[in-house]
Amino acid sequence: MATADDVPSAPSLEVWDQYKWHTFVEPLKKINEGHDVSAFLTSKAYGDIMTFLLQLNRAMFPSYVQSSEPNQKRSAQTWELGSSAVTFSETIQCLRSLLEDLNQIIDEVPPDTGPRRFGNASFRRWYEEVEERTSDLLYRHLPPTVLEFPMIPGDEVTPAGEIKSYFLGSFGSSQRLDYGSGHELSFLAFIGCMWKLGGFDASNLGNEERGIVLGVIDPYLQLVRRLIKTYTLEPAGSHGVWGLDDHSFIPYIFGSAQYGPSILPKDQTPTEGSLEGAPDPADVAKKTAVDRERDKNMYFGAIGFIHDVKKGPFWEHSPMLYDISGVRAGWGKINKGMVKMYNAEVLSKFPVVQHFRFGSLFSWEQDPNAAPAPPSVHTSNQPVRDGPRPSLENASARAPPPPQEGTKAPWASKPIIVPDPGIGTAAPWANKPSTMPGPDVGTAAPWATKPTAMPGPGVGRAALWANRSEVSANAGLPSTRFPQPSLRDPGATLPRTQMPLRAKDGETDAGNMPPPTEAPWAR
């Protein structure tokens, strides 16, 4: 059990007083337009989410073990998947049983065998089964400290009634037949609700958090991956090839922490360095290394799932992860970047957080101690439903215009001159003589003026938080151009040293890949 001297420097999520009455409410949707994202970033819910994420993240860093022998070098205790050094509390055991029950429902609802364009419609039946059994599942598997938390007499919403919303939001959308990081966020909130209500052993600092990650979150990810493969769920809000991952994010945070440098309880969370003997970050591009590590580490486990569902060179279908594999400052640096990226790409993005719901446990109420959300690319480029927020001062300015005789197009204020039939309608570029390019020239894209080689990791588009010095002064956004060889001479080829070769399906030949270099933000 941790003592007062062992309390880590990182804060932990508050556990509510079980001797005080509380009013529970049904979580509701609050983020309806882009302006609401900035409000969310200063809410109590946002602070609780980040606190809980960092609390779990810190616990996954290896710990120093002091030897009893004098002058003996201290060793490091790592927290691999399936580690016997982590003990599971009764609550964690119950949640593992809950996830096993959900797995069994998949066996009860096999996928449809007919042709389909997108997700398998049988996922809707699986979700309906879970929805019908939710109350029974929660009351059978949640601890009494959570279910019987003191509530105001006469209130209709129970603790389980509020938690239910986050639980059901953790497994994808039955309407869109998709799954993404927003559903993963809902499961993190579901676990956070139980922490707040005293469902976990908060006195055993470190071990309980590791039990949550290894004993609950990793089995949850395994369940979700089975759902994706069984019902062919689409990525929710995918960034395409430039996204970190089609479906998940937090395994990259906890997995990079597993390979971070060892720490003592009072140490700050590392921001660089690696565990002695940890795999090189560039090994994520080697399938043999991924197969060796995926059952021990969450980062490599997520990479392994990508190899399970995608074919072709790793740098081609996962350029962002390949870019990060060039980091030379160690897994601690990668972990720091992943936390920043989670804040920017998940919690600050309207398409992701718009579905998150707010109740009493994760409150929409503004945090009086929160700093104003700084302006950024993410918060300034959010969708707006009806333009600026309404106010009494500009109410008259928003009055509808008087009725007119139809609606004129902007170009209708000047007379239109019909060109002479002999002249025709010339394109803007047709006022100067030009020749049509011959078959040997082709049509070159704007970026095709110079031959370039396939970029190594770090050369392509980095994460938005990665390198602010490379942000365009005109647009305020990082470049998304992808270097390509010149198309002006179809017969020309790049030197062999610049032209990466395609590996066989299901394999990755590191010798044929661009040489790994550091991501821009790692310098």
Side-chain angles (χ1 to χ4, degrees), residues 285-363:
K286 304 173 184 177
K287 191 174 185 302
T288 54
V290 173
D291 291 340
R292 184 184 66 245
E293 300 292 330
R294 65 183 299 177
D295 293 332
K296 299 183 292 183
N297 178 267
M298 297 180 72
Y299 195 106
F300 279 82
I303 299 289
F305 181 69
I306 292 178
H307 284 299
D308 292 342
V309 297
K310 294 185 178 181
K311 302 299 181 183
F314 182 72
W315 53 261
E316 190 171 84
H317 59 63
S318 302
M320 180 68 73
L321 287 167
Y322 183 60
D323 191 47
I324 295 171
S325 73
V327 172
R328 299 303 178 199
W331 289 101
K333 180 73 171 183
I334 293 177
N335 181 261
K336 176 185 176 181
M338 286 295 175
V339 173
K340 287 184 176 180
M341 192 175 180
Y342 186 81
N343 181 72
E345 298 292 333
V346 177
L347 299 183
S348 299
K349 286 296 183 68
F350 175 82
V352 180
V353 297
Q354 64 171 323
H355 302 294
F356 191 82
R357 296 179 178 271
F358 301 84
S360 65
L361 291 162
F362 284 93
S363 172

Side-chain angles (χ1 to χ4, degrees), residues 79-311:
W79 315 111
E80 298 179 347
L81 297 176
S83 173
S84 59
V86 179
T87 58
F88 295 156
S89 65
E90 183 178 354
T91 298
I92 293 174
Q93 295 282 10
C94 291
L95 290 176
R96 290 170 65 85
S97 298
L98 171 62
L99 295 174
E100 290 175 2
D101 286 352
L102 297 176
N103 254 308
Q104 292 178 1
I105 299 178
I106 299 179
D107 299 330
E108 299 173 13
V109 186
D112 292 339
T113 57
R116 57 187 180 277
R117 177 66 177 87
F118 296 108
N120 195 296
S122 290
F123 178 69
R124 293 193 176 100
R125 291 194 288 116
W126 180 88
Y127 192 91
E128 290 172 358
E129 287 291 331
V130 173
E131 193 171 21
E132 291 178 2
R133 306 182 195 182
T134 294
S135 296
D136 178 63
L137 289 171
L138 294 182
Y139 276 97
R140 283 196 296 114
H141 295 292
L142 296 192
T145 52
V146 172
L147 299 174
E148 300 172 4
F149 196 91
M151 54 180 289
I152 301 297
D155 285 352
E156 296 183 358
V157 181
T158 64
E162 181 166 341
I163 295 176
K164 175 182 178 180
S165 176
Y166 300 108
F167 174 75
L168 287 174
S170 302
F171 308 104
S173 170
S174 60
Q175 288 76 31
R176 299 182 301 273
L177 300 179
D178 62 11
Y179 175 89
S181 54
H183 304 109
E184 182 184 67
L185 171 62
S186 186
F187 188 77
L188 184 67
F190 168 67
I191 301 297
C193 289
M194 295 181 59
W195 182 279
K196 278 193 165 189
L197 297 180
F200 296 97
D201 184 7
S203 63
N204 194 359
L205 294 175
N207 183 79
E208 194 72 354
E209 288 90 339
R210 286 186 283 271
I212 291 173
V213 174
L214 300 179
V216 179
I217 293 181
D218 184 66
Y220 160 75
L221 294 172
Q222 300 298 333
L223 168 66
V224 164
R225 289 164 187 164
R226 187 185 176 196
L227 287 172
I228 292 170
K229 295 176 70 174
T230 301
Y231 302 114
T232 58
L233 299 183
E234 294 289 312
S238 172
H239 291 256
V241 73
W242 291 117
L244 179 69
D245 188 293
D246 282 343
H247 302 99
S248 297
F249 203 112
I250 58 176
Y252 297 101
I253 298 177
F254 300 142
S256 56
Q258 286 177 283
Y259 284 141
S262 302
I263 59 175
L264 292 170
K266 289 186 177 181
D267 291 343
Q268 296 289 333
T269 302
T271 57
E272 60 181 16
S274 296
L275 175 71
E276 184 178 354
D280 190 280
D283 286 349
V284 300
K286 304 173 184 177
K287 191 174 185 302
T288 54
V290 173
D291 291 340
R292 184 184 66 245
E293 300 292 330
R294 65 183 299 177
D295 293 332
K296 299 183 292 183
N297 178 267
M298 297 180 72
Y299 195 106
F300 279 82
I303 299 289
F305 181 69
I306 292 178
H307 284 299
D308 292 342
V309 297
K310 294 185 178 181
K311 302 299 181 183

